[in-house]
Amino acid sequence: MSDPVERHRELVNLIREANHRYYVLNDPTLTDAEYDGLLAELLALEAEHPDLVTPDSPSQRIGAPPGEGFESVRHRASMLSLANATDEDEFAEWHRRCVDGLDGEEPLLVAEPKIDGLAVELVYSDGVLVQASTRGDGTTGEGILHNVRTIRAIPLRLRDGYPLEVIVTGEVFLEKENFLRLNRAQEELGEKVFANPRNAAAGSLRQLDPAITARRPLTFLAYNLVNASALGIAGHRESFGNLERWGLPVNGPLRVVRGVSEAEAFYDELLAGRGELAHEIDGMVVKVDSLAQRERLGTIARSPRWAVAWKFPPERAVTRLKTIAVSVGRTGVLTPVAELEPVRVGGVMVSSASLHNADEIERLGVLEGDWVEIQRAGDVIPEVVEPLTERRDGSEKLFSMPDRCPVCKEKVVKLTDEVAVRCVNLDCPAQVRERLRHFASRGAMDIEGLGAKVVDKLIDEGLVKNPADLYELTPELIEQLEGFAGKWAENLIAAIGESRGASLPRFIIALGIPHVGETTAEALAASFGNIGTLTGATEEELTEIEGVGPTVAAAIGDFFANPRNARLIERLKGYGIDPRREVTRKESGPLDGLTIVLTGSLGRPRDEMTALARDAGAKVTSSVSRKTDLVVAGPGAGSKLAKAGDLGIEVIGEEEFLRRLGEG
Ligand code: IVH
């Protein structure tokens, strides 16, 4: 037998080379079986000689899960997003602004497909992949190195002539075929199917266990060398040339274009050819090639002026609407859903589409049994565009919303100021399930491992009826359930335990108060500081809050007035869940408690004036009413000024306003 050290080196090189040929050069030389054979031999050899294992060995793609969930990673440079153009005019407008920004110089442009996946940043230090992160908020993302290492298209080590540091951004995605296969497998396992390849990619990367990510056929293409300037590189094409040389797969086809008409010609080519690409693309990205020109153009509002995404129009398809089913959501709202004859739209199989409510069905004029046109725009959920009335044969049936809940059979109600019809039975099994799913979901208490399937099981087995019951579960109780044994049960209980530390806004979201989403929850948390105070808030106090109108205030009031909810909150408190938050409202600003209206043209931008007023403690509203205390009017003020006069409300000018703020 050959020398193990020698053979190890050989195997590592053969596997690396095979990956490179497959993912970067698109020219595989090994069959899948040969590749698997080499990998198996490598694993066997390393099992026998553990000292041969190095961190960049192809065997190390699947490592141990990180202990503490995802760490946050600060990006070296902000990960920007792209401004959009939806048609030729908007593209021409972007181009004109570029030329203006370059004092009349016409920039050389590069155009490439826009991939529909998930942006990631990779950092190579001395040729070794040392960091990988999601975009997050652009400044800070989630560290996903352990998962990214499982993606074979991403080299763990760079090739030829790489510099000390390489920072690159690109897209992680699934090819269309792999996406369909993954969804079929998910369906068989009774797991949730992904709405589109982008969600599938995101869901796969955000797995704590890299072994799961490794089973997902993710791939990667680079589209930006972030530290190109520091490396003395002049432009985008040169970046791509280098990235390829270092062994990274780059996005393509790349086309050099000058001016609007050349860009448009390439756009048409990509649009016509998108069906032949193995992966989904949702538009064309056009970038200024020269880094010096990019620098001069700069960035506005999180997107660079030097690049634009010219989106493809939504893809449409025609299919039969078999029936309209009705689903019941967390707050009891009945939603009609079009059950469709499965059809492929933009590379994704679509078999249902929400019709939102009865009014929407009436607006569309759609009947059960109709042929309908449906569309999917980018990551947007499929929707019914219109029925093809000329294809009707008389067998179609008019749909009407049921007057009983399809799940619990109780009578439904339609509130006067809502389009929605609701099941108001709080014990309705559909609502119980949705409330629990919502409570555990990522934006709420974020209980890892408590997905839809587990929630269903816990409910079916009678272990939980409401969120508070979760905190009484023990590993022993869960282990009794079929298929839920061992470490998994312990992890779930640990995750439930950890959720006790959820922040106040997340807890407010988790309660599932109708109309209260993330923004409102944040505002409520900042104003009231804890659930006890929020529970006691009057309608007046609630409507003082930015974004809380009478409907939302009433929903909040009703929620806390319901004895069941009060009991739930009490019980949760008993389990140690009673998050607090420092109240951020200023104690006494110069405009404390005043409701003011800004009107007419003011010297400073409207947002800035509004922010100043809010910081000073005022509530800024858009219309003048009896509740208004003060109107700040500039030249050209019209009806609001007149109304203020009618109501006898104090009116001041901008200068006086700033003086009162102590700014003037
Ligand atoms: S360049 C600073 N090129 O689109 C410029 N982005 O809407 C960085 N995307 O977050 C982006 N294909 O995830 C660029 N060929 C491409 C792209 C691309 C897809 C994504 C990327 C970005 C998003 C912006």
Side-chain angles (χ1 to χ4, degrees):
M1 210 176 105
S2 64
D3 172 19
V5 179
E6 187 73 4
R7 182 61 184 157
H8 186 265
R9 190 175 315 129
E10 243 168 54
L11 286 168
V12 167
N13 286 334
L14 282 169
I15 293 168
R16 247 184 226 155
E17 187 60 28
N19 283 338
H20 183 68
R21 295 203 65 110
Y22 187 93
Y23 290 105
V24 181
L25 306 179
N26 277 319
D27 179 24
T29 43
L30 296 182
T31 64
D32 286 359
E34 285 167 331
Y35 180 93
D36 291 343
L38 292 176
L39 197 61
E41 188 184 342
L42 180 77
L43 291 173
L45 191 63
E46 290 184 350
E48 212 171 305
H49 304 278
D51 50 318
L52 292 179
V53 183
T54 54
D56 62 353
S57 160
S59 65
Q60 297 306 295
R61 287 197 178 265
I62 310 175
E68 292 288 306
F70 300 98
E71 49 158 357
S72 63
V73 168
R74 247 191 119 73
H75 298 302
R76 304 300 178 86
S78 288
M79 271 177 90
L80 302 170
S81 59
L82 293 172
N84 285 331
T86 49
D87 56 26
E88 197 202 333
D89 288 346
E90 286 181 19
F91 177 76
E93 175 62 26
W94 170 81
H95 183 257
R96 195 188 52 70
R97 279 196 306 267
C98 258
V99 175
D100 283 356
L102 295 170
D103 308 316
E105 271 167 51
E106 163 120 358
L108 186 72
L109 304 172
V110 278
E112 60 192 83
K114 178 161 165 25
I115 310 167
D116 194 15
L118 195 81
V120 298
E121 181 192 72
L122 308 176
V123 179
Y124 288 88
S125 177
D126 202 12
V128 178
L129 178 65
V130 292
Q131 192 179 85
S133 52
T134 60
R135 196 171 103 91
D137 64 5
T139 313
T140 318
E142 284 179 320
I144 47 164
L145 179 62
H146 58 290
N147 286 337
V148 159
R149 289 173 63 97
T150 68
I151 303 173
R152 287 194 195 157
I154 297 180
L156 300 178
R157 165 172 279 285
L158 298 179
R159 305 162 68 91
D160 312 338
Y162 52 80
L164 195 56
E165 183 168 69
V166 173
I167 307 173
V168 60
T169 53
E171 204 84 349
V172 168
F173 59 95
L174 283 143
E175 293 185 345
K176 295 177 203 166
E177 274 311 312
N178 286 327
F179 168 72
L180 295 173
R181 199 172 310 145
L182 172 62
N183 262 354
R184 275 198 298 273
Q186 290 284 103
E187 215 152 23
E188 273 160 31
L189 290 170
E191 301 270 346
K192 87 167 208 264
V193 295
F194 297 101
N196 53 49
R198 182 239 218 44
N199 285 2
S204 304
L205 271 183
R206 285 197 84 270
Q207 291 288 339
L208 275 177
D209 183 356
I212 298 178
T213 313
R215 288 200 293 273
R216 306 279 171 85
L218 295 167
T219 188
F220 170 83
L221 289 171
Y223 52 63
N224 198 27
L225 175 56
V226 178
N227 61 332
S229 295
L231 298 173
I233 288 170
H236 192 64
R237 287 165 302 160
E238 195 184 331
S239 286
F240 270 27
N242 278 301
L243 288 170
E244 267 186 312
R245 195 155 57 82
W246 302 331
L248 280 151
V250 295
N251 187 25
L254 186 75
R255 175 79 56 86
V256 174
V257 291
R258 248 184 208 285
V260 177
S261 61
E262 280 185 35
E264 196 183 3
F266 188 51
Y267 176 91
D268 290 339
E269 249 177 73
L270 286 175
L271 186 56
R274 70 190 294 193
E276 275 131 58
L277 279 179
H279 58 273
E280 177 121 9
I281 63 174
D282 58 352
M284 170 174 83
V285 182
V286 181
K287 305 169 182 178
V288 169
D289 185 64
S290 150
L291 300 190
Q293 287 180 333
R294 288 185 183 185
E295 182 90 2
R296 281 166 63 195
L297 286 165
T299 294
I300 30 161
R302 312 185 131 255
S303 4
R305 276 206 191 81
W306 48 262
V308 69
W310 185 354
K311 294 286 210 63
F312 289 154
E315 285 198 77
R316 295 186 168 190
V318 168
T319 189
R320 262 304 278 287
L321 185 159
K322 295 186 292 187
T323 52
I324 297 178
V326 176
S327 74
V328 184
R330 164 167 62 84
T331 55
V333 171
L334 269 55
T335 305
V337 180
E339 302 286 344
L340 306 166
E341 204 71 70
V343 64
R344 222 180 151 106
V345 198
V348 177
M349 285 307 270
V350 171
S351 56
S352 66
S354 172
L355 291 165
H356 310 295
N357 53 53
D359 285 13
E360 175 71 0
I361 295 177
E362 199 178 318
R363 188 188 69 77
L364 290 167
V366 69
L367 303 177
E368 286 184 300
D370 260 338
W371 285 91
V372 291
E373 185 167 43
I374 59 171
Q375 75 172 19
R376 242 190 90 233
D379 55 351
V380 178
I381 327 174
E383 60 184 17
V384 174
V385 183
E386 59 177 11
L388 306 179
T389 47
E390 67 282 5
R391 291 181 71 168
R392 285 186 182 155
D393 62 9
S395 67
E396 299 77 14
K397 286 204 255 3
L398 190 66
F399 169 84
S400 57
M401 285 298 272
D403 53 8
R404 289 188 176 271
C405 169
V407 179
C408 71
K409 313 291 181 224
E410 291 270 326
K411 264 201 165 326
V412 297
V413 296
K414 183 166 159 55
L415 302 180
T416 35
D417 54 350
E418 280 190 343
V419 270
V421 175
R422 284 174 195 271
C423 165
V424 288
N425 168 18
L426 287 169
D427 291 321
C428 171
Q431 287 184 53
V432 169
R433 189 179 62 227
E434 293 304 321
R435 278 201 297 270
L436 265 164
R437 286 185 183 176
H438 171 79
F439 185 84
S441 66
R442 179 114 60 82
M445 301 300 266
D446 194 15
I447 304 177
E448 189 86 34
L450 194 56
K453 218 176 93 189
V454 182
V455 166
D456 288 353
K457 184 92 180 162
L458 294 175
I459 292 177
D460 291 347
E461 298 287 334
L463 287 179
V464 279
K465 282 201 285 300
N466 76 43
D469 297 337
L470 291 172
Y471 298 91
E472 288 191 359
L473 292 174
T474 60
E476 294 72 38
L477 275 172
I478 296 190
E479 273 178 12
Q480 292 166 11
L481 304 179
E482 217 185 295
F484 286 78
K487 185 109 187 85
W488 195 89
E490 271 165 46
N491 288 346
L492 178 61
I493 298 301
I496 292 173
E498 264 168 43
S499 72
R500 289 173 202 217
S503 66
L504 182 58
R506 277 172 177 272
F507 182 52
I508 295 173
I509 294 170
L511 289 175
I513 308 167
H515 304 296
V516 175
E518 199 177 329
T519 318
T520 310
E522 282 286 346
L524 292 172
S527 299
F528 295 101
N530 64 66
I531 287 289
T533 316
L534 175 59
T535 308
T538 62
E539 186 172 337
E540 196 150 50
E541 284 169 327
L542 288 168
T543 45
E544 296 251 308
I545 291 167
E546 176 66 17
V548 177
T551 315
V552 183
I556 298 171
D558 288 350
F559 183 89
F560 291 115
N562 183 327
R564 304 168 65 104
N565 293 329
R567 247 191 333 269
L568 172 68
I569 290 166
E570 263 321 294
R571 272 188 72 200
L572 289 170
K573 201 167 164 184
Y575 298 121
I577 303 161
D578 185 17
R580 313 232 147 205
R581 144 90 64 113
E582 192 97 359
V583 176
T584 51
R585 219 176 105 90
K586 273 196 192 159
E587 276 308 303
S588 61
L591 303 181
D592 221 14
L594 298 186
T595 298
I596 73 164
V597 171
L598 305 170
T599 181
S601 84
L602 300 167
R604 300 188 182 204
R606 189 57 65 93
D607 317 355
E608 192 182 322
M609 293 285 282
T610 306
L612 283 173
R614 290 211 177 110
D615 285 350
K619 178 181 169 191
V620 181
T621 61
S622 57
S623 61
V624 176
S625 73
R626 282 183 200 287
K627 284 190 183 167
T628 310
D629 298 301
L630 185 66
V631 171
V632 182
S639 61
K640 292 182 191 175
L641 182 58
K643 189 152 182 204
D646 290 347
L647 295 171
I649 295 165
E650 185 184 6
V651 178
I652 59 172
E654 183 173 358
E655 220 166 281
E656 168 64 14
F657 172 69
L658 295 173
R659 201 189 54 71
R660 289 194 192 179
L661 291 180
E663 289 264 332

